[in-house]
Each structure stands twice: as C-alpha cells, then as structure tokens.
C-alpha cells in the first residue's frame, strides 16, 4: 500500500521516512529557482530543507520556475503533491528516504515569461538561482555572449516579453529598479568553472543590448557568486518511481541520489542569504580551486568513460567502472594527464579526490546511465576536458589519453555502437557532430576542424597527430583494441 504524497499525508507516511519538522504553511518565499530538475531538488533544495529543519530560514522558501514547455509537466506533478519531493539515498550499505519541503510553489510556464518576471520582481525574492545545464548560457566559441543567437536577439529586441531565463531576469531587474525595491543575487548552480562570472556575462551582456543604463545598474548592484556543486543524481524513470513505492510513497517525481554532497559557495550576496554553512556548505573566497578539481576530475572523468561505454553498449556508469578496460582508461588518464594540472584544496589532494570519485562512480546502486552522462558532449568536452588538454600542451606534458578520449567521443557521435545498434541523437548539435564524425571515419582531422569546439587544437601536432592515430585505430581494430593499446603504454 502506498500513500499519495501531500502536506496532509506527511504524518501517515511509513516509519523510517524523514519528513519536514517545520510548519510549511508559515514559510514565505525568498528564492526563485529556474530549471527545477532532479539535481536542484537533491542538492540546493536539500541544504535549505535541512536548514529549515533547524528552525532557520523560514523566509527563504523556494518558488520553482521553468522557461521550456516541458517544464509545465514538472510543475503539474509537483503542485499536485504540494511541491514535496521524496529523496532516496542510494548508499551501498542501504537505501533511505526523506521527504523535503523547502519548495512551496511553482510559477506558471508562459511563452512571454510574464508570471516568472512578476515573481522575480517581488521584493521578497532576494536570490534567483539557476540550473540550466552547462550549455544553457548562450556562449559562443570564444566563451563570449552569443549575441547572434535567435533567442538572445529576440530578448534584446523584445525585452518586455522575453523567451529566455536571462531575459526574464533582466526584465524583473528593470521593474525592481523602477520600483526602488533593489537588486537580487543571481546564483548559477551549473557545472561551469566561474559559473557566477559566466552568468554575469549573460545577464549584463543581454541587458546591454537593449538598455545600457540598466546593464550598468545590474553590473554595479547585483552579485553573481561563483559556486561548485557536486552530487550524482540519476534521471527518474520507472525504476525510481517503483523504488519510491517500495518505501510506501506515491510520489510522481521522486529523486534518487548518491550518499555524497558538496557545495562550495563564494560569499557574495547583495540581498542576504540563508546560513547554508550551518548544514555543511563551504563558504570561501577560493571557489575556483574546488571548481577546477571537481570539474576536471569528476565531470571530465564522466566524459572519459561514458563515450566508450556507449560505443560498447555498457549501460551505466557503475557498469563502466566494472569494465576492466574502461576502468583502466579512467584511472590512467586521471592519474597521469589530469591530476598534474589540478591544485589541491584544503583537506583534499588530487590523488585522494581521484580515489573518492572512483569509489562514487563504482556505486552500483546508482543507475546513472552512460547515455545521460554522455549527453551534450559539445558543452561538456569543451568545458571539462579541453581546458586540461590545453594546460597539458602548454606544459609539454603527455596528451595521449586525452587525445584518445576525444577520439572516442568522435566515434560515439558517428551514431552506432559496435554491436550495430543505433545511438539516438544525444546532443543539441547532433546533426553537425554526426556529419563530422562520418567524415572523420576516413579523414580523422575532419573532426578537429570543428573550430567551434576545438579552436586551434587541430593545429597542435602533439594532440592532433595522437588523435588521428587513435581514431584510426578505433575504426580499424575496435574500441577495446585501442583501450588495450593505451593501457599497455
């Protein structure tokens, strides 16, 4: 028997499920979060929930928001259960469930984003946070604002009816300036090094296209703290829904996650903030070192193993780590080619962090699919892997493994696995990537000539020559042969 999740049924849930101890009816909003997917609910919302359980932050409740038509379905599911979420921790030593309640509302999804703008213009809102994916910040090949993107042009030309989250933020800030209610903090929670500065670039740059005075006001008065976020959170499918039912909860949008969280935040909040440090977050002036370690070793490591996993029909990340050749690839590249270009942080060396990530990736309770991790490689390789590659080239260090990792991405983007099955489109730029991958089958350098992703790397012989050799070997002898060749070096 399962109990439908709602405020009214919290006391009826089975023993052993932790539920909110605070009065949700007394909470008032302080945060709008845009992009309310699984990660946010398992991470930032959890920290706030635990703070509320301590009797704090009752005026910092979250109002969810989305700017895509698909977000309307999420909104419907969450509102039907009073915006409660069942979090299921997948620890190898045993699973546990907790219901979190830091979110109290979800604004309607509209083409012109008017409800979102109105909510952010409310003086009670002091933080607007986002998880819109690494590729969602409208950056061009050089990392600048892509002012020519159709959505950015629309928002610049029609700022009162914006399409993007950033356009909605600009319009809300315009209304706040006019009303004299002051700025809010703009907080990115995406896996981007310098995510706060990238968010500043997008918001201020977009405002400057239509209202330079407003752009100056935003740049001067709003704050954009950098942060590092970390928790492995799989997508929710039928098995996750069934797992919630096994706990006795009928939750239409449960979230599973690993037994690890980390949140490192730059303490720059123009309108105040919750005391997240009281529940385990790290507030520091040196976010970048934490970011670099996590993005290069964890996120970069995900790309290293997910691409051969897809090619070889290995279903999950844990399965990839159980595959001797893929696991060996991970260990060798991380140790020899990534760790030398990562600085230690307080309490953690790069070597120890590799050991930690190896353990986390190997957690078989986490059914994190290779397909999910391999998604949007055009953003993730360029953001996670290529910066390490460039550092290695500048230091005249080895790039053999990183070149192999890029060759494996090229092979995956050809669109078939070695067992003959089809890899369905898995990138916003899939058609262009697949065309380049097809040409690279006969002429490997064609892949690196995608200047949008690789810039001048096609002109760097230590990398380009190694890439040519590895991709040729993958196509002639197969992925496992290439992995054995690399591991024998």
């Amino acid at each position: 028997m399962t109990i439908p999740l709602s405020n009214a049924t919290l006391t009826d849930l089975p023993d052993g499920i932790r539920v909110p101890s605070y009065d949700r009816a007394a909470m008032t909003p302080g945060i709008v979060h845009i992009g309310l997917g699984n990660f946010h609910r398992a991470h930032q919302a959890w920290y706030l929930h635990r703070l509320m359980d301590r009797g704090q932050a009752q005026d910092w409740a979250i109002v969810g928001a989305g700017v895509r038509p698909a977000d309307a379905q999420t909104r419907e599911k969450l509102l039907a259960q009073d915006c409660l979420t069942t979090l299921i921790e997948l620890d190898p030593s045993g699973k546990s469930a907790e219901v979190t309640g830091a979110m109290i509302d979800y604004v309607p999804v509209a083409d012109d984003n008017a409800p979102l703008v109105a909510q952010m213009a409310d003086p009670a809102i002091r933080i607007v946070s986002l998880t819109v994916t690494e590729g969602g910040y409208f950056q061009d090949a050089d990392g600048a604002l892509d002012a020519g993107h159709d959505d950015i042009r629309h928002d610049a030309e029609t700022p009162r009816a914006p399409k993007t989250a950033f356009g909605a933020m600009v319009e809300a800030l315009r209304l706040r300036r006019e009303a004299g209610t002051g700025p809010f903090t703009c907080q990115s929670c995406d896996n981007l090094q310098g995510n706060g500065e990238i968010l500043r670039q997008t918001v201020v740059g977009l405002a400057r296209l239509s209202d330079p005075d407003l752009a100056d006001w935003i740049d001067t008065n709003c704050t954009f703290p950098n942060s590092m976020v970390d928790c492995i959170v799989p997508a929710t499918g039928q098995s996750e829904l069934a797992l919630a039912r096994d706990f006795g909860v009928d939750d239409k949008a449960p979230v599973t996650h690993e037994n690890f969280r980390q949140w490192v935040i730059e303490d720059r909040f123009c309108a105040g903030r919750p005391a997240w440090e009281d529940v385990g977050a790290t507030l520091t002036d040196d976010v970048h070192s934490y970011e670099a370690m996590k993005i290069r070793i964890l996120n970069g490591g995900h790309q290293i193993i997910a691409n051969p996993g897809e090619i070889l029909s290995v279903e999950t990340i844990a399965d990839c780590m159980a595959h001797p050749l893929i696991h060996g690839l991970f260990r060798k590249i991380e140790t020899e080619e990534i760790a030398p270009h990562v600085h230690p942080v307080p309490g953690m060396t790069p070597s120890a962090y590799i050991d930690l990530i190896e353990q986390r990736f190997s957690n078989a309770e986490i059914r994190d699919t290779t397909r999910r991790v391999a998604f949007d490689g055009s953003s993730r390789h360029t953001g996670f892997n290529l910066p390490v590659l460039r550092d290695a080239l500048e230091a005249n260090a080895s790039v053999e493994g990183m070149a192999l990792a890029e060759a494996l991405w090229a092979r995956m983007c050809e669109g078939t696995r070695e067992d003959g099955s089809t890899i369905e489109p898995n990138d916003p730029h899939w058609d262009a990537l697949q065309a380049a991958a097809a040409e690279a089958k006969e002429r490997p350098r064609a892949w690196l000539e995608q200047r949008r992703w690789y810039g001048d790397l096609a002109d760097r012989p230590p990398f380009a020559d190694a890439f040519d050799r590895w991709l040729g070997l993958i196509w002639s002898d197969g992925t496992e042969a290439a992995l054995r060749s690399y591991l024998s070096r």
Side-chain angles (χ1 to χ4, degrees):
M1 179 179 178
T2 59
I3 297 171
L5 184 61
S6 71
N7 283 333
T9 62
L10 284 175
T11 57
D12 300 326
L13 295 179
D15 293 341
I17 297 179
R18 180 173 177 160
V19 299
S21 63
Y22 43 91
D23 180 4
R24 299 189 74 230
M27 294 160 55
T28 56
I31 299 172
V32 167
H33 186 85
I34 304 170
L36 205 131
N38 282 13
F39 182 80
H40 166 74
R41 290 185 288 146
H43 193 268
Q44 298 95 26
W46 177 88
Y47 280 94
L48 188 57
H49 157 73
R50 284 297 180 93
L51 195 57
M52 290 171 167
D53 252 348
R54 294 166 59 102
Q56 300 171 241
Q58 305 298 305
D59 61 342
W60 283 103
I62 296 165
V63 177
V67 297
R68 306 171 304 164
D71 293 323
Q73 185 177 14
T74 301
R75 176 178 185 267
E76 183 179 341
K77 289 179 180 179
L78 290 175
L79 287 178
Q81 55 194 49
D82 297 322
C83 296
L84 294 164
T85 291
T86 307
L87 295 184
I88 301 171
E89 183 175 281
L90 302 176
D91 189 325
S93 66
K95 303 178 183 69
S96 61
E98 175 176 8
V99 174
T100 65
M103 177 182 170
I104 59 172
D105 201 1
Y106 199 128
V107 299
V109 179
D111 291 341
D112 63 358
N113 285 305
L116 173 56
V117 170
Q119 184 68 66
M120 292 189 292
D122 183 339
I125 300 303
R126 288 149 284 162
I127 296 173
V128 172
S129 55
L130 305 94
T131 42
V132 295
T133 78
E134 299 83 6
Y137 288 80
F138 296 97
Q139 293 178 274
D140 64 16
D142 298 319
L145 175 65
D146 184 2
H149 191 285
D150 288 346
D151 290 348
I152 295 296
R153 288 170 52 199
H154 172 277
D155 285 5
E157 294 167 2
T158 318
R160 304 296 182 267
K163 283 186 176 181
T164 72
F166 311 106
M169 292 168 71
V170 170
E171 175 61 7
L173 287 165
R174 182 189 69 81
L175 294 173
R176 292 173 74 112
R177 183 181 65 155
E178 287 185 356
T181 52
F184 51 66
T185 293
C186 307
Q187 184 181 26
S188 171
C189 299
D190 281 301
N191 284 314
L192 292 161
Q193 189 151 11
N195 57 9
E197 292 308 312
I198 292 171
L199 178 56
R200 178 190 292 274
Q201 170 182 276
T202 307
V203 172
V204 174
L206 175 55
R208 199 167 299 285
L209 294 175
S210 60
D211 189 338
D213 288 341
L214 175 60
D216 290 341
W217 184 85
I218 294 171
D219 201 26
T220 300
N221 291 281
C222 292
T223 46
F224 297 79
N226 294 300
S227 67
M228 185 277 277
V229 297
D230 190 7
C231 185
I232 296 173
V233 183
T236 295
Q238 291 302 313
S239 61
E240 288 74 24
L241 293 167
L243 187 55
R245 290 193 296 270
D246 289 344
F247 275 98
V249 185
D250 182 6
D251 185 334
K252 303 303 183 187
V255 175
T256 59
H257 60 92
E258 65 171 328
N259 58 330
F260 179 92
R261 283 185 186 85
Q262 188 178 21
W263 196 8
V264 182
I265 313 167
E266 193 173 37
D267 197 359
R268 292 195 293 136
F269 290 81
C270 63
R273 64 168 177 82
W276 290 302
E277 66 272 28
D278 290 352
V279 286
T282 299
L283 276 294
T284 178
D285 293 331
D286 183 24
V287 171
H288 291 300
S289 295
Y290 290 89
E291 285 176 327
M293 177 176 284
K294 187 259 181 175
I295 285 173
R296 294 185 172 202
I297 292 176
L298 187 154
N299 298 105
H302 258 159
Q303 298 312 299
I304 287 166
I305 64 177
N307 296 152
E310 272 284 67
I311 298 165
L312 296 174
S313 304
V314 182
E315 186 177 358
T316 71
I317 293 301
D319 293 338
C320 287
M321 296 301 283
H323 189 291
L325 296 176
I326 299 176
H327 190 165
L329 176 75
F330 168 85
R331 189 77 200 185
K332 186 175 174 68
I333 293 180
E334 292 276 15
T335 302
E336 297 181 4
E337 298 189 25
I338 296 180
H341 310 291
V342 174
H343 298 294
V345 299
M348 185 68 71
T349 64
S351 177
Y353 193 67
I354 291 170
D355 292 341
L356 173 63
I357 299 309
E358 187 172 51
Q359 177 184 357
R360 291 169 61 192
F361 283 5
S362 300
N363 181 353
E365 295 294 334
I366 297 287
R367 300 293 296 173
D368 202 10
T369 66
T370 55
R371 177 173 175 79
R372 186 198 76 84
V373 173
F375 173 73
D376 198 9
S378 58
S379 292
R380 295 178 175 182
H381 278 260
T382 53
F384 306 153
N385 298 71
L386 297 189
V388 182
L389 179 58
R390 290 184 179 279
D391 284 354
L393 289 171
E394 291 303 315
N396 294 316
S398 173
V399 294
E400 283 291 328
M402 296 300 285
L404 173 56
E406 293 307 300
L408 289 164
W409 180 38
R411 168 63 183 85
M412 189 202 80
C413 288
E414 185 270 344
T416 60
R417 301 181 181 87
E418 290 191 353
D419 64 7
S421 61
T422 298
I423 299 173
E424 297 297 329
N426 202 24
D427 193 287
H429 304 279
W430 184 258
D431 289 345
L433 292 169
Q434 192 170 32
E439 185 177 353
K441 186 174 181 179
E442 302 299 330
R443 189 175 67 85
R445 197 67 57 99
W447 179 260
L448 300 184
E449 289 169 358
Q450 298 179 99
R451 298 282 177 172
R452 178 174 185 175
W453 318 125
Y454 287 100
D456 66 348
L457 286 173
D459 308 322
R460 308 287 293 273
F463 167 64
D465 292 348
F467 175 89
D468 287 359
R469 185 174 65 254
W470 286 122
L471 188 56
L473 181 60
I474 290 167
W475 278 117
S476 64
D477 293 2
T479 296
E480 291 194 346
L483 297 180
R484 288 192 187 94
S485 177
Y486 172 66
L487 293 175
S488 69
R489 286 175 171 265

